[in-house]
Amino acid sequence: MIDSNGSPDLEPAARALKALLPGVTDDQLANATPCAGWTVGDLLDHLMGLTLAFRTAAEKGPDPAPNGPGDPSADRLDFQWRGRLPVQLDELVAAWREPAAGTGEAAVGGVRLPADIMGVVALDELVVHGWDLASATEQPYDIDDQTLDTVHRLVSQQASSDGTPGLFGPSITQPADAPLLDRVLGLTGRKREWTP
């Protein structure tokens, strides 16, 4: 769903991601995730960084990682992530609701895009990595179809059978009548059936 300021509404995806956090146990931090080579701890470190980076982008602040975000690492994961990540998600949602958020350009990780598109990229990050976290920690993941439709339109334009470096693995074809979440995941190189 797109707000009146031209930005996507990140709240449903942020809420779905926040609902998973209490279910992540310390002994799951070393679990594999659908992100090749990443553990749950790595993924949480990535989420900590991206919530800050995309909030800064909405606020038109300086790109916190102009040379790219670098590889996430559980070794760098803030030990207070359980308290900080929900707050950063709320701040991210609030930032993209500001009237100026969807105007002009925004930069994240050395990439500069029209701000309204960058907002959809932020939404994609929350949705796909929310599913990654749910799958890696064996929790249910519930996201609404309006949010999925917005993400599907973005990934449909960027996905490739060869993969999209830095974004997605090689896309996996799904039946046209497959659930929308399955089609989104397939376009990002993921399978709904993935298990840790």
Side-chain angles (χ1 to χ4, degrees):
M1 185 164 72
I2 304 298
D3 283 344
S4 58
N5 68 356
S7 301
D9 183 6
L10 304 186
E11 198 276 331
R15 183 176 63 241
L17 181 52
K18 283 198 300 185
L20 300 171
L21 301 180
V24 179
T25 62
D26 287 344
D27 62 354
Q28 290 174 322
L29 295 178
N31 282 12
T33 71
C35 302
W38 288 11
T39 65
V40 169
D42 298 334
L43 177 57
L44 288 166
D45 181 57
H46 180 63
L47 287 165
M48 290 288 290
L50 78 84
T51 51
L52 174 61
F54 281 97
R55 187 199 82 207
T56 302
E59 295 168 347
K60 306 301 188 289
D63 186 351
N67 298 317
D71 292 331
S73 173
D75 294 336
R76 286 195 307 269
L77 178 62
D78 187 324
F79 73 95
Q80 295 182 320
W81 68 267
R82 292 179 191 282
R84 293 182 60 117
L85 185 51
V87 171
Q88 288 184 203
L89 284 162
D90 289 343
E91 292 171 345
L92 175 68
V93 170
W96 281 98
R97 285 185 168 161
E98 289 297 317
T103 63
E105 292 187 330
V108 173
V111 176
R112 183 168 291 277
L113 293 171
D116 58 337
I117 295 174
M118 190 64 84
V120 179
V121 174
L123 182 64
D124 168 67
E125 290 278 331
L126 295 181
V127 168
V128 174
H129 288 319
W131 179 84
D132 290 337
L133 184 62
S135 299
T137 57
E138 301 183 88
Q139 298 186 70
Y141 183 63
D142 184 34
I143 193 74
D144 65 284
D145 280 348
Q146 281 187 312
T147 297
L148 282 173
D149 183 63
T150 302
V151 172
H152 186 262
R153 279 184 268 125
L154 174 75
V155 296
S156 294
Q157 297 169 10
Q158 296 183 336
S160 162
S161 59
D162 296 325
T164 306
L167 289 177
F168 312 130
S171 58
I172 300 169
T173 302
Q174 296 287 329
D177 61 350
L180 189 53
L181 178 58
D182 291 34
R183 285 181 277 149
V184 167
L185 295 173
L187 288 166
T188 67
R190 292 161 169 81
K191 292 184 179 178
R192 183 83 172 267
E193 303 80 25
W194 186 94
T195 55

